[in-house]
């Protein structure tokens, strides 16, 4: 679930490995031209990666004659950093491994350590979490062998964070506990506080809220002596989370306000923008909409000043809910429309930036191919030297020169086959990358008709002076929207999550059309609810059943949704006794026909990409429930496991 990763996040974050390591890798002694070129490349690796690669190519060309292995290793290391910064992780890791082999052979321990650090970072950002943990374990062993406790703490904390990301709470707790033991032996108060804070996070992730609260209440007393205000704020935030999970909103609010006070003291505007919205949300839980508005508006103002559109969007969403609570539905609707517009703007901006980055990435890949040809020249250069030595022995023995010709032909064939394979591999990686981008774009689209139809239903409730029904509907609608938005970033979600969304959606649709249909939602108890499926795959077919089948039926209809375990995976059956597909087309406007067609094509495209990308077996079969009268509709969705 947390894979989310994601490549897109790294592209926008502007990862800077050079800034992270802060190590001088260039020899400061000899004014060697090749080393000078690498020095220039290192200085512009982040700001102008294409030019940096050109410098590296020049350095390697100069090195063809000298064969300086250290310089070659430095080139690969810097190439790995540039690749990782640009999100070309597999190529970056390949270059780091080349550099690592060279530095190990040269017994350059400091450069080995730097390269391992960069390789761990690259694996982590590309979501190769297990590989990152393996590298970190090597760094922990090195730190233990040199009695470097600070490095032990650093990499154990890293491993703990990665295990927490994987949901391996036992291993995460073991790593953080080992760190706590080191800090206690060193009597490092800030380190003890930080280790305890991480242990508390494990309890929170495990939903052991009572244990987490007891842990943090003790930690709060210790933290008062700490000078690390950031850690204090994090502790109060975690305490607030724990109280909130137990629905102790008053206590959660007190802890959150302490965190807010610390961040005001630090003048951390980025943190404050989120803190004010969080406090506002807690006031909403207390039904104190006036206080909520005051804090949320401050959060929105700070996010506007910092230009953080995501935080502003979160604030607008929360403020819309506050106005709903206050009964100002017109203002709430305007704010929610502003939130939707802003989210669309953010998505469009990201798509534009991705396209620009992909264009830049193509340029880097093209330059990388030139380097790969140069690497082959280097290999051929070494082979030529070897062949000349062999030729000398052959001449001394009176052998003919045919062997040299054979070696040359073999090298040429290997070069041709190698180049062909590299081109094929590069093309395949680009195709997979494009498929993932297309899938993310399709997954982010949700039928806007449902949102605005739902808001119209609220207007209907208001027109009838049915404030209670309007509030209840908006509250349930808000929960549904939150769940849909949260799941839209993932290609797969647990079936249990999708079931909760479908239950809520069916309740909403039934509350809108109680006179049009009744429904039954059956779930096979034997289903493995941890199995994953694409989000929002089933909902459009239920929506079609209600809006195009049951809504036009003169008598009250019936909708049945059943989810069961079958040999091929999970089978979802949606049955309605509505007017049927043929008659439904007669009622539709041209716009409705196009909208419905686009919606179904969206799902077909998603299924096609997912089946190809993840080797799944998902299909949809639609048929008439009553074939003779062509009435009613039956949809069978088969979800094969990944």
């Amino acid at each position: 679930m947390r894979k989310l990763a994601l490549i897109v996040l790294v592209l926008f974050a502007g990862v800077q490995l050079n800034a992270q390591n802060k190590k001088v890798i260039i020899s400061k002694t000899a004014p060697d031209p090749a080393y000078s070129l690498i020095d220039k490349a290192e200085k512009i690796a982040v700001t102008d990666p294409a030019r940096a690669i050109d410098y590296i190519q020049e350095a390697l060309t100069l090195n063809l004659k000298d064969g300086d292995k250290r310089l070659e290793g430095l080139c690969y290391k810097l190439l790995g950093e540039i690749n990782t910064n640009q999100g070309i992780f597999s190529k970056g890791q390949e270059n780091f491994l080349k550099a690592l082999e060279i530095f190990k052979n040269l017994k350059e321990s400091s450069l080995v350590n730097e390269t391992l650090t960069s390789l761990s970072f690259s694996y982590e950002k590309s979501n190769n979490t297990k590989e990152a943990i393996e590298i970190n374990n090597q760094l922990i062993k090195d730190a233990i062998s040199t009695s470097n406790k600070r490095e032990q703490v650093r990499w154990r904390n890293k491993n703990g964070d990665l295990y927490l990301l994987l949901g391996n709470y036992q291993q995460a707790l073991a790593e953080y506990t080992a760190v706590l033991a080191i800090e206690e032996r060193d009597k490092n108060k800030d380190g003890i506080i930080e280790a305890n804070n991480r242990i508390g996070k494990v309890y929170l992730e495990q939903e052991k809220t009572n244990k987490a609260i007891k842990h943090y209440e003790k930690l709060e007393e210790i933290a008062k002596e700490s000078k690390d205000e950031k850690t204090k704020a994090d502790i109060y935030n975690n305490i607030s989370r724990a109280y909130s999970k137990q629905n102790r909103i008053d206590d959660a609010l007190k802890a959150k306000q302490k965190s807010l006070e610390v961040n005001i003291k630090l003048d951390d505007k980025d943190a404050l923008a989120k803190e004010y919205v969080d406090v506002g949300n807690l006031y909403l839980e207390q039904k104190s909409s006036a206080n909520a508005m005051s804090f949320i508006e401050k959060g929105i103002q700070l996010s506007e000043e910092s230009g953080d559109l995501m935080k502003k969007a979160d604030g607008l969403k929360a403020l819309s809910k506050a106005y709903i609570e206050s009964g100002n539905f017109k203002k709430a609707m305007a704010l929610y429309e502003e939130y939707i517009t802003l989210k669309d703007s953010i998505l469009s901006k990201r798509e534009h930036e991705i396209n620009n980055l992909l264009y830049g990435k193509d340029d880097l890949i093209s330059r990388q191919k030139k380097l790969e040809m140069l690497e082959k020249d280097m290999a051929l250069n070494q082979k030529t030297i070897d062949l000349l030595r062999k030729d000398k022995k052959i001449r001394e023995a009176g052998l003919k020169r045919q062997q040299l010709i054979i070696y040359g032909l073999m090298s040429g064939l290997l070069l041709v086959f190698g180049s062909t394979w590299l081109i094929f591999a590069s093309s395949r990686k680009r195709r997979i990358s494009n498929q993932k981008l297309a899938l993310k774009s399709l997954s982010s689209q949700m039928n806007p008709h449902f949102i605005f139809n739902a808001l119209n239903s609220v207007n209907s409730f208001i027109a009838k002076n049915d404030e209670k029904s309007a509030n209840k509907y908006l509250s349930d609608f808000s929960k549904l929207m939150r769940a849909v938005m949260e799941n839209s970033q993932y290609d797969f979600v647990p079936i249990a999550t999708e079931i909760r969304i479908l239950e809520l959606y069916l309740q909403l649709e039934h509350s809108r059309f109680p006179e049009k249909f009744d429904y039954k939602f059956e779930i096979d108890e034997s289903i493995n609810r941890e199995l994953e499926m694409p989000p929002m795959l089933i909902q459009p077919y239920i929506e079609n059943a209600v809006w195009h089948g049951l809504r036009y039926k003169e008598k009250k209809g019936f909708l049945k949704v059943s989810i069961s375990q079958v040999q091929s995976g999970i089978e979802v059956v949606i049955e309605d006794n509505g007017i049927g597909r043929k008659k439904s087309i007669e009622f539709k406007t041209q716009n409705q026909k196009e909208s419905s067609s686009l919606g179904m094509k969206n799902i077909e495209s998603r299924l096609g990409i997912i089946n190809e990308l993840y080797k799944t077996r998902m299909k949809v079969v639609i048929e008439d429930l009553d074939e003779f009268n062509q009435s009613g509709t039956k949809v069978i969705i088969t979800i094969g496991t990944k």
Side-chain angles (χ1 to χ4, degrees):
M1 288 298 299
R2 304 182 186 189
K3 295 174 183 177
L4 223 340
L6 322 235
I7 295 172
V8 175
L9 291 175
V10 175
L11 291 174
F12 294 116
V15 181
Q16 297 186 10
L17 274 173
N18 289 332
Q20 184 191 46
N21 290 328
K22 296 287 185 183
K23 298 267 182 99
V24 177
I25 64 170
I26 307 304
S27 172
K28 292 185 178 180
T29 54
D32 189 299
Y35 278 93
S36 298
L37 286 166
I38 297 302
D39 188 37
K40 289 180 181 178
E42 186 183 33
K43 289 176 181 176
I44 62 169
V46 174
T47 56
D48 192 351
R51 192 178 172 197
I53 289 178
D54 288 340
Y55 281 140
I56 293 170
Q57 183 179 347
E58 287 183 49
L60 286 171
T61 303
L62 290 174
N63 194 46
L64 275 172
K65 181 180 178 182
D66 297 330
D68 185 338
K69 298 302 289 184
R70 184 176 186 275
L71 183 134
E72 186 180 343
L74 294 173
C75 287
Y76 285 132
K77 181 177 180 293
L78 186 52
L79 274 173
E81 291 169 354
I82 292 170
N83 295 147
T84 298
N85 291 343
Q86 298 301 314
I88 312 171
F89 296 112
S90 59
K91 181 57 69 176
Q93 289 148 19
E94 179 183 328
N95 284 316
F96 284 137
L97 290 170
K98 289 179 183 177
L100 193 60
E101 183 179 359
I102 291 171
F103 294 144
K104 283 181 177 178
N105 290 334
L106 295 175
K107 297 182 179 179
E108 292 266 11
S109 58
S110 62
L111 287 171
V112 167
N113 188 277
E114 288 179 38
T115 308
L116 284 171
T117 300
S118 298
L119 183 57
S120 169
F121 182 82
S122 181
Y123 279 139
E124 180 183 345
K125 292 303 174 185
S126 61
N127 292 319
N128 292 328
T129 310
K130 292 181 180 178
E131 289 82 353
I133 289 172
E134 289 177 7
I135 298 297
N136 294 348
N137 285 334
Q138 291 183 46
L139 290 164
I140 290 169
K141 287 180 181 178
D142 292 342
I144 291 172
S145 67
T146 57
S147 300
N148 189 332
K149 293 181 180 179
R150 291 303 95 203
E151 283 296 290
Q152 290 181 52
V153 167
R154 175 187 179 187
W155 295 111
R156 285 195 180 280
N157 275 333
K158 271 281 185 185
N159 268 358
D161 295 345
L162 292 172
Y163 280 127
L164 197 60
L165 194 66
L166 289 172
N168 191 337
Y169 304 119
Q170 186 176 355
Q171 286 290 346
L173 202 56
E175 294 287 1
Y176 294 150
T177 303
V179 170
L180 180 60
I182 294 171
E183 302 291 22
E184 286 177 339
R185 283 197 297 271
D186 287 351
K187 297 180 180 179
N188 180 3
K189 287 185 178 179
D190 287 337
I192 291 169
I193 292 167
E194 177 59 22
N196 275 300
N197 189 27
R198 290 173 184 266
I199 289 170
K201 286 180 182 178
V202 177
Y203 295 144
L204 279 176
E205 289 296 324
Q206 288 179 301
E207 300 293 332
K208 295 180 178 179
T209 51
N210 286 328
K211 198 168 185 178
I213 288 169
K214 288 179 182 178
H215 185 82
Y216 276 117
E217 284 174 349
K218 291 179 182 177
L219 184 57
E220 185 179 3
E221 291 301 316
I222 304 171
K224 289 177 181 177
E225 300 175 12
S226 173
K227 296 178 182 178
D228 188 348
E229 298 294 328
K230 274 285 186 185
T231 300
K232 283 184 184 178
D234 193 30
I235 289 168
Y236 290 133
N237 258 317
N238 290 329
I239 294 171
S240 179
R241 279 180 60 200
Y243 284 140
S244 184
K245 283 178 181 288
Q246 288 193 335
N247 208 27
R248 293 167 60 181
I249 305 304
D250 290 341
D251 292 330
L253 192 54
K254 289 176 184 176
K256 179 61 74 173
Q257 285 173 332
K258 287 180 181 178
S259 172
L260 183 62
E261 288 169 6
V262 173
N263 281 311
I264 290 171
K265 183 179 177 182
L266 291 170
D267 196 26
D268 188 344
K269 291 184 178 179
D270 285 339
L272 282 170
K274 183 178 184 301
E275 292 277 1
Y276 279 124
V277 175
D278 287 347
V279 172
N281 280 322
L282 287 171
Y283 273 122
L284 280 176
E285 293 288 330
Q286 289 186 326
K287 306 299 181 184
S288 179
S289 56
N291 285 327
M293 289 177 191
S294 174
F295 281 93
I296 295 169
E297 284 169 352
K298 288 180 182 178
I300 293 173
Q301 182 181 349
L302 284 173
S303 62
E304 286 178 337
E305 291 174 4
S306 64
D308 192 331
L309 298 181
M310 287 301 295
K311 285 193 179 75
K312 182 181 177 182
D314 291 339
L316 288 170
K317 188 177 179 182
L319 192 58
S320 173
K321 186 177 179 182
Y323 274 103
I324 291 171
E325 293 290 342
S326 70
N328 190 340
F329 300 108
K330 184 177 181 180
K331 181 68 174 177
M333 190 180 295
L335 285 166
Y336 196 82
E337 288 177 353
E338 186 180 353
Y339 160 74
I340 294 294
T341 302
L342 183 57
K343 291 287 282 188
D344 288 342
S345 173
I346 292 169
L347 181 61
S348 297
K349 184 180 178 183
R350 283 186 175 177
E351 289 177 347
H352 179 70
E353 289 175 349
I354 288 172
N355 289 332
N356 289 339
L357 285 167
L358 287 174
Y359 176 81
K361 191 184 288 187
D362 286 343
D363 181 48
L364 289 178
I365 290 171
S366 174
R367 293 170 189 267
Q368 187 86 30
K369 285 180 181 176
K370 292 180 182 178
L371 273 174
E372 290 168 358
M373 295 301 295
L374 183 59
E375 288 176 24
K376 291 180 177 65
D377 288 342
M378 290 166 63
L380 287 172
N381 189 50
Q382 186 62 45
K383 286 180 181 178
T384 302
I385 294 170
D386 294 337
L387 287 171
L388 287 172
R389 288 173 180 169
K390 289 180 181 179
D391 183 57
K392 183 180 178 181
K393 292 179 181 179
I394 291 169
R395 280 188 283 107
E396 288 175 352
L399 297 175
K400 296 180 180 180
R401 297 194 310 169
Q402 289 180 347
Q403 289 184 354
L404 181 61
I405 297 171
I406 292 171
Y407 289 140
L409 288 172
M410 288 176 64
S411 299
L413 285 171
L414 286 172
L415 184 61
V416 170
F417 286 131
S419 299
T420 303
W421 184 85
L422 286 170
I423 291 169
F424 172 77
S426 175
S427 174
R428 184 173 179 274
K429 287 177 182 176
R430 281 193 63 190
R431 183 170 62 83
I432 291 173
S433 177
N434 289 338
Q435 283 180 324
K436 287 185 176 180
L437 284 171
L439 179 60
K440 188 63 66 177
S441 176
L442 290 170
S443 298
S444 67
Q445 299 174 26
M446 180 183 175
N447 190 345
H449 295 301
F450 171 65
I451 298 173
F452 294 110
N453 286 334
L455 292 175
N456 286 333
S457 294
V458 176
N459 279 335
S460 175
F461 286 131
I462 294 170
K464 296 175 184 176
N465 291 321
D466 191 352
E467 184 179 345
K468 183 177 180 182
S469 296
N471 282 335
K472 174 68 170 61
Y473 187 91
L474 268 177
S475 176
D476 290 343
F477 177 70
S478 175
K479 291 177 185 176
L480 177 61
M481 287 299 96
R482 185 183 298 112
V484 170
M485 294 299 179
E486 287 173 354
N487 292 330
S488 64
Q489 60 182 309
Y490 303 115
D491 293 341
F492 290 87
V493 297
I495 287 175
T497 301
E498 193 69 5
I499 286 173
R500 287 197 298 271
I501 290 175
L502 292 176
E503 287 174 337
L504 188 55
Y505 175 74
L506 280 166
Q507 290 172 17
L508 285 170
E509 289 291 59
H510 188 255
S511 68
R512 290 164 67 187
F513 307 114
E515 75 288 350
K516 284 293 183 181
F517 74 101
D518 289 323
Y519 74 93
K520 185 176 183 181
F521 193 16
E522 291 183 345
I523 303 169
D524 187 350
E525 293 299 326
S526 65
I527 285 178
N528 181 358
R529 293 185 177 228
E530 293 183 0
L531 290 176
E532 294 186 334
M533 63 172 289
M536 294 298 287
L537 176 64
I538 303 170
Q539 181 271 338
Y541 292 104
I542 297 176
E543 184 175 347
N544 271 356
V546 174
W547 280 80
H548 304 301
L550 297 168
R551 192 161 64 106
Y552 296 113
K553 188 177 176 67
E554 294 180 0
K555 296 180 180 180
K556 193 171 189 178
F558 186 78
L559 172 66
K560 180 181 178 182
V561 180
S562 60
I563 303 177
S564 57
Q565 188 88 37
V566 294
Q567 188 175 2
S568 58
I570 299 296
E571 183 176 270
V572 182
V573 180
I574 303 164
E575 297 178 325
D576 72 82
N577 62 351
I579 62 175
R581 292 179 291 169
K582 183 178 180 181
K583 196 168 184 181
S584 172
I585 294 172
E586 300 173 5
F587 284 87
K588 290 181 183 177
T589 64
Q590 185 61 31
N591 183 55
Q592 286 174 330
K593 290 177 184 177
E594 292 174 358
S595 176
S596 178
S597 174
L598 286 173
M600 293 302 102
K601 285 180 180 178
N602 183 312
I603 295 174
E604 289 174 9
S605 299
R606 283 181 65 201
L607 286 177
I609 292 173
I610 288 170
N611 283 335
E612 182 179 351
L613 202 57
Y614 295 102
K615 309 303 179 188
T616 53
R617 305 180 304 280
M618 301 190 186
K619 64 178 182 178
V620 178
V621 176
I622 303 174
E623 56 190 35
D624 293 330
L625 191 63
D626 185 343
E627 293 183 4
F628 181 79
N629 294 313
Q630 291 187 318
S631 65
T633 305
K634 182 177 182 180
V635 180
I636 304 170
I637 304 170
T638 305
I639 303 168
T641 55
K642 286 200 294 177

